[in-house]
Amino acid sequence: MKTVGVIDYGQAGNIYNILRALKQVGASSLVISNNLDFNKVDRIIIPGVGSFPDAIQELKNKELFNPLIEQIQTKPTLGICLGMQILAKIGFEFTKTIGLAHFDAEVKKIQCDEPVPHMGFNKIKVVKPSKLIEGIENEDFYFMHSYEVVNYENIISLSSYGGHDFVSAIEKNYVYGVQFHPEKSREAGLNLFSNFINI
Amino acid sequence: MRIIAKLDVKPPYVVKPVHFEGWRKIDTPDKLAKKYYDEGADEIFYIDIVASLFQREILYKEFEQTSSKIFIPLAYGGGIRSIENMSKLFHSGADKVVINSYAVQENPQIIFEASQIFGAQAVVVNIEAKRADNKWKCYSDSGRIPSSYELLKWVETIQENGAGEILIQSVDCDGRNRGFDVDLIKSVVENTSVPVVASSGGWSEIHIEELLSTVSPSGLAFASALHYKNLNISKIRSFISGN
């Protein structure tokens, strides 16, 4: 039985909706709130509501920052929204913050003429096929973000907002990141979780 | 453009206020949320319209019943007074929190704190505007209590404090089904860089056209028009995309 560990980073992470989506697709899950919990899971989800510096600070407070860097080397991992962003090397939300640095990427404010945050359902344009999005490449996903991951090497898909293309999904060594919220993207989002637990 | 179903909740029912008063029962929020989810809504706004007015605690359990049935974004508003309230709401299934009364009457700083902790995208400010001469004044507690803020001053204040989205409601037009306050919505959209959700008064395609021919908000919220089946989500969507 595969168990997905969902990182609990304090008051900001909305883990409830992710746990509910995992339950809906029949996955067993566990909330990870300390280092020892990692032993009980073989997959990891980093959820995403909050700000980059707060998320990193919370991980450090809970002594999860370094263990998480180690864990994602060997376990399939999915970062969602801010959870994707903190997988990058550096974040520039409010202040410069060092991230988990799995991806050689920076996180910057979206530059476009439309209102920011970018909110609503949007398409993805696949750059490189991935098991994560198999069968749902043409679906819409829900976005809710003011920052984007700037990366050039590990892109699964781009999305477009206000005439500007940004990275909407990334992958490197079984570590995945999605800028959208699969737990808020209807059936397509649930299918993404199914894909992830079957990787 | 996002289409949002707005549930004005007076627990345990969704009610339809007229001018924010004179409530009529519609159905329970969990049933309606599921219904509008199935019909294709982009988001649901759940607003407890009496929590602030009655100075009552937030009913988290009731809210969680609604959140457990849908897989689209759900915003909660009503009676929020602290970061702790918000944190509990996010753990009860909220994706966004909607703030008005406490911020506009007592402490605009709460918007800044919320935005820092939860990210701007999770912080919606609900503005209840009422016409006074050729301007608008901001109200709270479902349009009952005036604040000291004139509309554009408040828009500027909340934006400086890091609000991620504005829900603009009109005390004059709400529940009357006679169309949006187009000038009001235009005024807000033109004076902010954050997404604006237009609400209050949209009842028919004509009203949508009236609005969209003048201004392009980021989302449209409907209550009565959906509850009384004068419009449905797919009808609205095909009308907007054909326009």
Side-chain angles (χ1 to χ4, degrees):
Chain A
M1 185 69 181
K2 289 165 184 166
T3 300
V4 183
V6 183
I7 310 287
D8 178 11
Y9 44 112
Q11 54 189 353
N14 72 333
I15 57 175
Y16 171 91
N17 288 319
I18 290 165
L19 294 172
R20 202 160 54 82
L22 287 170
K23 194 175 162 197
Q24 188 79 9
V25 299
S28 81
S29 59
L30 181 82
V31 174
I32 296 193
S33 38
N34 69 64
N35 190 8
L36 295 174
D37 293 333
F38 281 119
N39 298 328
K40 303 168 199 157
V41 304
D42 49 18
R43 272 170 180 54
I44 295 167
I45 288 183
I46 311 171
V49 170
S51 65
F52 197 113
D54 265 27
I56 296 298
Q57 193 53 52
E58 284 284 340
L59 288 175
K60 287 183 174 167
N61 291 347
K62 294 194 158 193
E63 292 175 5
L64 288 172
F65 185 79
N66 288 321
L68 187 54
I69 290 175
E70 201 174 292
Q71 289 287 325
I72 63 178
Q73 304 305 320
T74 55
K75 292 174 185 170
T77 297
L78 173 64
I80 296 173
C81 194
L82 177 64
M84 167 199 188
Q85 295 176 359
I86 61 173
L87 286 164
K89 223 177 216 172
I90 304 167
F92 288 97
E93 186 168 3
F94 305 128
T95 171
K96 185 176 168 181
T97 310
I98 303 297
L100 296 163
H102 184 81
F103 291 97
D104 185 9
E106 293 184 349
V107 178
K108 293 181 172 167
K109 187 130 194 176
I110 303 171
Q111 299 295 329
C112 73
D113 296 333
E114 291 291 311
V116 173
H118 166 222
M119 274 191 205
F121 281 88
N122 204 342
K123 297 268 176 225
I124 58 173
K125 295 182 278 187
V126 180
V127 172
K128 188 185 74 183
S130 165
K131 281 194 168 156
L132 187 72
I133 52 161
E134 214 168 73
I136 48 175
E137 295 90 343
N138 299 317
E139 301 292 334
D140 289 1
F141 296 91
Y142 194 86
F143 291 83
M144 189 167 92
H145 62 119
S146 309
Y147 288 79
E148 63 173 309
V149 173
V150 180
N151 171 272
Y152 302 99
E153 291 175 348
N154 314 106
I155 302 171
I156 298 175
S157 73
L158 298 171
S159 292
S160 189
Y161 180 64
H164 165 74
D165 278 353
F166 64 90
V167 177
S168 50
I170 45 177
E171 170 182 357
K172 183 184 163 192
N173 303 335
Y174 296 100
V175 175
Y176 302 84
V178 290
Q179 184 56 69
F180 50 83
H181 288 265
E183 77 281 13
K184 289 285 143 183
S185 300
R186 301 181 167 274
E187 284 295 316
L190 296 175
N191 289 340
L192 187 144
F193 284 112
S194 289
N195 286 348
F196 176 64
I197 58 175
N198 288 313
I199 279 165
Chain B
M1 185 169 298
R2 289 175 290 151
I3 302 166
I4 295 160
K6 184 164 71 76
L7 309 178
D8 297 310
V9 186
K10 178 175 183 286
Y13 294 104
V14 171
V15 296
K16 188 50 227 167
V18 178
H19 294 269
F20 290 106
E21 293 199 39
W23 296 307
R24 280 178 228 143
K25 277 185 209 171
I26 311 288
D27 204 340
T28 55
D30 58 327
K31 278 191 201 151
L32 285 174
K34 179 69 168 61
K35 182 177 169 232
Y36 299 138
Y37 170 65
D38 290 339
E39 286 180 5
D42 289 309
E43 293 180 38
I44 308 283
F45 277 29
Y46 176 114
I47 313 284
D48 184 328
I49 56 170
V50 290
S52 281
L53 187 66
F54 296 170
Q55 299 184 336
R56 183 206 351 91
E57 278 295 298
I58 294 166
L59 303 176
Y60 300 99
K61 280 260 147 54
E62 283 78 353
F63 173 67
E64 199 168 334
Q65 286 211 325
T66 297
S67 72
S68 69
K69 298 206 162 71
I70 56 170
F71 293 97
I72 48 170
L74 175 63
Y76 172 92
I80 296 172
R81 298 182 62 85
S82 68
I83 295 298
E84 196 203 340
N85 287 159
M86 298 179 206
S87 190
K88 274 169 119 173
L89 285 163
F90 289 120
H91 284 88
S92 306
D95 301 287
K96 305 178 185 180
V97 290
V98 184
I99 317 172
N100 179 25
S101 301
Y102 179 65
V104 77
Q105 299 290 4
E106 295 179 51
N107 181 15
Q109 183 75 15
I110 186 102
I111 297 165
F112 177 77
E113 289 167 31
S115 183
Q116 290 274 316
I117 294 171
F118 305 111
Q121 82 295 328
V123 183
V124 185
V125 176
N126 168 21
I127 300 179
E128 294 169 0
K130 189 173 181 171
R131 258 179 210 271
D133 302 320
N134 269 334
K135 286 185 172 175
W136 290 271
K137 195 156 192 167
C138 297
Y139 277 63
S140 71
D141 299 76
S142 298
R144 279 179 178 73
I145 305 173
S147 74
S148 59
Y149 282 96
E150 182 271 321
L151 176 72
L152 294 183
K153 180 70 196 156
W154 182 234
V155 169
E156 188 190 331
T157 305
I158 62 179
Q159 189 165 316
E160 280 171 8
N161 275 290
E165 183 170 9
I166 294 172
L167 169 66
I168 179 70
Q169 306 205 76
S170 156
V171 179
D172 307 295
C173 296
D174 197 77
R176 299 189 71 187
N177 309 336
R178 291 179 192 171
F180 296 96
D181 187 333
V182 177
D183 296 338
L184 168 67
I185 293 160
K186 184 165 180 266
S187 183
V188 174
V189 170
E190 284 178 350
N191 285 284
T192 182
S193 61
V194 302
V196 175
V197 173
S199 184
S200 296
W203 175 254
S204 66
E205 278 112 333
I206 294 169
H207 297 150
I208 300 172
E209 187 165 5
E210 265 171 16
L211 180 69
L212 299 188
S213 63
T214 308
V215 58
S216 192
S218 146
L220 299 179
F222 296 91
S224 304
L226 297 175
H227 302 334
Y228 293 114
K229 304 186 178 66
N230 199 58
L231 289 172
N232 62 47
I233 307 282
S234 60
K235 209 165 152 184
I236 298 168
R237 198 179 301 287
S238 59
F239 182 75
I240 291 173
S241 55
N243 230 13

PDB file of all heavy atoms in Angstrom, chain A residues 2-4 22 25-28 43 45 132 191-199:
ATOM      1  N   LYS A   2       0.594   2.123  -0.957  1.00  0.00           N
ATOM      2  CA  LYS A   2       1.361   3.369  -1.028  1.00  0.00           C
ATOM      3  C   LYS A   2       0.731   4.425  -0.121  1.00  0.00           C
ATOM      4  O   LYS A   2      -0.478   4.592  -0.120  1.00  0.00           O
ATOM      5  CB  LYS A   2       1.377   3.899  -2.462  1.00  0.00           C
ATOM      6  CG  LYS A   2       2.231   3.065  -3.376  1.00  0.00           C
ATOM      7  CD  LYS A   2       1.936   3.405  -4.817  1.00  0.00           C
ATOM      8  CE  LYS A   2       2.719   2.512  -5.742  1.00  0.00           C
ATOM      9  NZ  LYS A   2       2.218   2.582  -7.122  1.00  0.00           N
ATOM     10  N   THR A   3       1.560   5.091   0.634  1.00  0.00           N
ATOM     11  CA  THR A   3       1.049   6.150   1.500  1.00  0.00           C
ATOM     12  C   THR A   3       1.693   7.482   1.119  1.00  0.00           C
ATOM     13  O   THR A   3       2.911   7.570   0.963  1.00  0.00           O
ATOM     14  CB  THR A   3       1.340   5.829   2.977  1.00  0.00           C
ATOM     15  OG1 THR A   3       0.700   4.598   3.303  1.00  0.00           O
ATOM     16  CG2 THR A   3       0.802   6.921   3.895  1.00  0.00           C
ATOM     17  N   VAL A   4       0.843   8.459   0.954  1.00  0.00           N
ATOM     18  CA  VAL A   4       1.323   9.790   0.580  1.00  0.00           C
ATOM     19  C   VAL A   4       1.436  10.655   1.827  1.00  0.00           C
ATOM     20  O   VAL A   4       0.467  10.801   2.576  1.00  0.00           O
ATOM     21  CB  VAL A   4       0.350  10.468  -0.413  1.00  0.00           C
ATOM     22  CG1 VAL A   4       0.899  11.823  -0.850  1.00  0.00           C
ATOM     23  CG2 VAL A   4       0.084   9.581  -1.611  1.00  0.00           C
ATOM     24  N   LEU A  22      -7.056  13.177  -2.111  1.00  0.00           N
ATOM     25  CA  LEU A  22      -6.354  11.890  -2.070  1.00  0.00           C
ATOM     26  C   LEU A  22      -7.315  10.774  -1.663  1.00  0.00           C
ATOM     27  O   LEU A  22      -7.302   9.684  -2.223  1.00  0.00           O
ATOM     28  CB  LEU A  22      -5.178  11.957  -1.091  1.00  0.00           C
ATOM     29  CG  LEU A  22      -3.978  12.782  -1.566  1.00  0.00           C
ATOM     30  CD1 LEU A  22      -2.989  12.989  -0.432  1.00  0.00           C
ATOM     31  CD2 LEU A  22      -3.287  12.094  -2.756  1.00  0.00           C
ATOM     32  N   VAL A  25      -9.507   9.659  -4.493  1.00  0.00           N
ATOM     33  CA  VAL A  25      -8.912   8.769  -5.501  1.00  0.00           C
ATOM     34  C   VAL A  25      -8.385   7.468  -4.869  1.00  0.00           C
ATOM     35  O   VAL A  25      -7.701   6.685  -5.527  1.00  0.00           O
ATOM     36  CB  VAL A  25      -7.792   9.462  -6.322  1.00  0.00           C
ATOM     37  CG1 VAL A  25      -8.355  10.662  -7.063  1.00  0.00           C
ATOM     38  CG2 VAL A  25      -6.619   9.883  -5.441  1.00  0.00           C
ATOM     39  N   GLY A  26      -8.722   7.262  -3.602  1.00  0.00           N
ATOM     40  CA  GLY A  26      -8.412   5.985  -2.961  1.00  0.00           C
ATOM     41  C   GLY A  26      -6.992   5.837  -2.445  1.00  0.00           C
ATOM     42  O   GLY A  26      -6.536   4.718  -2.198  1.00  0.00           O
ATOM     43  N   ALA A  27      -6.282   6.954  -2.293  1.00  0.00           N
ATOM     44  CA  ALA A  27      -4.912   6.883  -1.771  1.00  0.00           C
ATOM     45  C   ALA A  27      -4.928   6.990  -0.251  1.00  0.00           C
ATOM     46  O   ALA A  27      -5.760   7.691   0.305  1.00  0.00           O
ATOM     47  CB  ALA A  27      -4.075   8.019  -2.349  1.00  0.00           C
ATOM     48  N   SER A  28      -4.015   6.289   0.400  1.00  0.00           N
ATOM     49  CA  SER A  28      -3.919   6.500   1.842  1.00  0.00           C
ATOM     50  C   SER A  28      -2.920   7.635   2.073  1.00  0.00           C
ATOM     51  O   SER A  28      -1.960   7.811   1.326  1.00  0.00           O
ATOM     52  CB  SER A  28      -3.515   5.217   2.552  1.00  0.00           C
ATOM     53  OG  SER A  28      -2.134   5.037   2.462  1.00  0.00           O
ATOM     54  N   ARG A  43       5.627   8.518  -0.673  1.00  0.00           N
ATOM     55  CA  ARG A  43       5.417   9.645  -1.594  1.00  0.00           C
ATOM     56  C   ARG A  43       5.193  10.903  -0.775  1.00  0.00           C
ATOM     57  O   ARG A  43       4.736  10.814   0.357  1.00  0.00           O
ATOM     58  CB  ARG A  43       4.170   9.405  -2.455  1.00  0.00           C
ATOM     59  CG  ARG A  43       4.458   8.643  -3.716  1.00  0.00           C
ATOM     60  CD  ARG A  43       3.209   8.216  -4.429  1.00  0.00           C
ATOM     61  NE  ARG A  43       3.526   7.492  -5.643  1.00  0.00           N
ATOM     62  CZ  ARG A  43       4.316   6.435  -5.735  1.00  0.00           C
ATOM     63  NH1 ARG A  43       4.894   5.966  -4.662  1.00  0.00           N
ATOM     64  NH2 ARG A  43       4.563   5.850  -6.891  1.00  0.00           N
ATOM     65  N   ILE A  45       3.716  15.023  -0.743  1.00  0.00           N
ATOM     66  CA  ILE A  45       3.087  16.195  -1.371  1.00  0.00           C
ATOM     67  C   ILE A  45       3.399  17.426  -0.521  1.00  0.00           C
ATOM     68  O   ILE A  45       3.258  17.403   0.705  1.00  0.00           O
ATOM     69  CB  ILE A  45       1.560  16.008  -1.527  1.00  0.00           C
ATOM     70  CG1 ILE A  45       1.265  14.986  -2.632  1.00  0.00           C
ATOM     71  CG2 ILE A  45       0.879  17.349  -1.855  1.00  0.00           C
ATOM     72  CD1 ILE A  45      -0.210  14.764  -2.916  1.00  0.00           C
ATOM     73  N   LEU A 132       2.668  12.412 -15.170  1.00  0.00           N
ATOM     74  CA  LEU A 132       1.840  13.174 -14.240  1.00  0.00           C
ATOM     75  C   LEU A 132       0.574  13.712 -14.903  1.00  0.00           C
ATOM     76  O   LEU A 132      -0.483  13.762 -14.278  1.00  0.00           O
ATOM     77  CB  LEU A 132       2.649  14.344 -13.656  1.00  0.00           C
ATOM     78  CG  LEU A 132       1.953  15.117 -12.539  1.00  0.00           C
ATOM     79  CD1 LEU A 132       1.888  14.295 -11.256  1.00  0.00           C
ATOM     80  CD2 LEU A 132       2.638  16.444 -12.276  1.00  0.00           C
ATOM     81  N   ASN A 191      -7.671  13.238 -11.401  1.00  0.00           N
ATOM     82  CA  ASN A 191      -6.896  12.327 -12.254  1.00  0.00           C
ATOM     83  C   ASN A 191      -5.395  12.567 -12.110  1.00  0.00           C
ATOM     84  O   ASN A 191      -4.610  11.628 -12.194  1.00  0.00           O
ATOM     85  CB  ASN A 191      -7.303  12.492 -13.724  1.00  0.00           C
ATOM     86  CG  ASN A 191      -8.691  11.943 -13.985  1.00  0.00           C
ATOM     87  OD1 ASN A 191      -9.202  11.129 -13.205  1.00  0.00           O
ATOM     88  ND2 ASN A 191      -9.315  12.383 -15.059  1.00  0.00           N
ATOM     89  N   LEU A 192      -5.017  13.809 -11.890  1.00  0.00           N
ATOM     90  CA  LEU A 192      -3.597  14.104 -11.680  1.00  0.00           C
ATOM     91  C   LEU A 192      -3.087  13.410 -10.413  1.00  0.00           C
ATOM     92  O   LEU A 192      -2.004  12.818 -10.394  1.00  0.00           O
ATOM     93  CB  LEU A 192      -3.362  15.613 -11.626  1.00  0.00           C
ATOM     94  CG  LEU A 192      -1.889  16.040 -11.574  1.00  0.00           C
ATOM     95  CD1 LEU A 192      -1.678  17.322 -12.379  1.00  0.00           C
ATOM     96  CD2 LEU A 192      -1.381  16.241 -10.160  1.00  0.00           C
ATOM     97  N   PHE A 193      -3.904  13.456  -9.352  1.00  0.00           N
ATOM     98  CA  PHE A 193      -3.499  12.745  -8.119  1.00  0.00           C
ATOM     99  C   PHE A 193      -3.398  11.240  -8.374  1.00  0.00           C
ATOM    100  O   PHE A 193      -2.477  10.588  -7.888  1.00  0.00           O
ATOM    101  CB  PHE A 193      -4.494  13.026  -6.984  1.00  0.00           C
ATOM    102  CG  PHE A 193      -4.345  14.397  -6.376  1.00  0.00           C
ATOM    103  CD1 PHE A 193      -5.327  15.349  -6.542  1.00  0.00           C
ATOM    104  CD2 PHE A 193      -3.209  14.720  -5.649  1.00  0.00           C
ATOM    105  CE1 PHE A 193      -5.194  16.622  -5.979  1.00  0.00           C
ATOM    106  CE2 PHE A 193      -3.062  15.989  -5.085  1.00  0.00           C
ATOM    107  CZ  PHE A 193      -4.057  16.935  -5.248  1.00  0.00           C
ATOM    108  N   SER A 194      -4.349  10.687  -9.155  1.00  0.00           N
ATOM    109  CA  SER A 194      -4.276   9.254  -9.506  1.00  0.00           C
ATOM    110  C   SER A 194      -2.971   8.961 -10.236  1.00  0.00           C
ATOM    111  O   SER A 194      -2.291   7.986  -9.938  1.00  0.00           O
ATOM    112  CB  SER A 194      -5.437   8.851 -10.421  1.00  0.00           C
ATOM    113  OG  SER A 194      -6.619   8.853  -9.711  1.00  0.00           O
ATOM    114  N   ASN A 195      -2.671   9.814 -11.212  1.00  0.00           N
ATOM    115  CA  ASN A 195      -1.420   9.626 -11.968  1.00  0.00           C
ATOM    116  C   ASN A 195      -0.226   9.640 -11.015  1.00  0.00           C
ATOM    117  O   ASN A 195       0.680   8.817 -11.115  1.00  0.00           O
ATOM    118  CB  ASN A 195      -1.234  10.729 -13.013  1.00  0.00           C
ATOM    119  CG  ASN A 195      -2.155  10.568 -14.197  1.00  0.00           C
ATOM    120  OD1 ASN A 195      -2.788   9.527 -14.369  1.00  0.00           O
ATOM    121  ND2 ASN A 195      -2.238  11.602 -15.019  1.00  0.00           N
ATOM    122  N   PHE A 196      -0.245  10.601 -10.086  1.00  0.00           N
ATOM    123  CA  PHE A 196       0.904  10.747  -9.170  1.00  0.00           C
ATOM    124  C   PHE A 196       1.071   9.510  -8.290  1.00  0.00           C
ATOM    125  O   PHE A 196       2.191   9.036  -8.107  1.00  0.00           O
ATOM    126  CB  PHE A 196       0.700  12.006  -8.301  1.00  0.00           C
ATOM    127  CG  PHE A 196       1.781  12.181  -7.263  1.00  0.00           C
ATOM    128  CD1 PHE A 196       3.107  12.395  -7.633  1.00  0.00           C
ATOM    129  CD2 PHE A 196       1.474  12.113  -5.904  1.00  0.00           C
ATOM    130  CE1 PHE A 196       4.103  12.549  -6.671  1.00  0.00           C
ATOM    131  CE2 PHE A 196       2.464  12.263  -4.945  1.00  0.00           C
ATOM    132  CZ  PHE A 196       3.785  12.479  -5.331  1.00  0.00           C
ATOM    133  N   ILE A 197      -0.017   8.976  -7.767  1.00  0.00           N
ATOM    134  CA  ILE A 197       0.166   7.816  -6.868  1.00  0.00           C
ATOM    135  C   ILE A 197       0.524   6.549  -7.650  1.00  0.00           C
ATOM    136  O   ILE A 197       0.993   5.573  -7.076  1.00  0.00           O
ATOM    137  CB  ILE A 197      -1.053   7.564  -5.932  1.00  0.00           C
ATOM    138  CG1 ILE A 197      -2.326   7.330  -6.724  1.00  0.00           C
ATOM    139  CG2 ILE A 197      -1.225   8.702  -4.946  1.00  0.00           C
ATOM    140  CD1 ILE A 197      -3.513   6.951  -5.840  1.00  0.00           C
ATOM    141  N   ASN A 198       0.329   6.591  -8.977  1.00  0.00           N
ATOM    142  CA  ASN A 198       0.700   5.422  -9.776  1.00  0.00           C
ATOM    143  C   ASN A 198       2.072   5.546 -10.434  1.00  0.00           C
ATOM    144  O   ASN A 198       2.471   4.678 -11.215  1.00  0.00           O
ATOM    145  CB  ASN A 198      -0.369   5.159 -10.830  1.00  0.00           C
ATOM    146  CG  ASN A 198      -1.622   4.610 -10.177  1.00  0.00           C
ATOM    147  OD1 ASN A 198      -1.568   3.704  -9.352  1.00  0.00           O
ATOM    148  ND2 ASN A 198      -2.763   5.187 -10.516  1.00  0.00           N
ATOM    149  N   ILE A 199       2.769   6.604 -10.133  1.00  0.00           N
ATOM    150  CA  ILE A 199       4.117   6.789 -10.705  1.00  0.00           C
ATOM    151  C   ILE A 199       5.110   5.901  -9.968  1.00  0.00           C
ATOM    152  O   ILE A 199       5.050   5.801  -8.741  1.00  0.00           O
ATOM    153  CB  ILE A 199       4.533   8.275 -10.656  1.00  0.00           C
ATOM    154  CG1 ILE A 199       3.891   9.014 -11.862  1.00  0.00           C
ATOM    155  CG2 ILE A 199       6.052   8.427 -10.687  1.00  0.00           C
ATOM    156  CD1 ILE A 199       3.930  10.516 -11.727  1.00  0.00           C
TER     157      ILE A 199
END
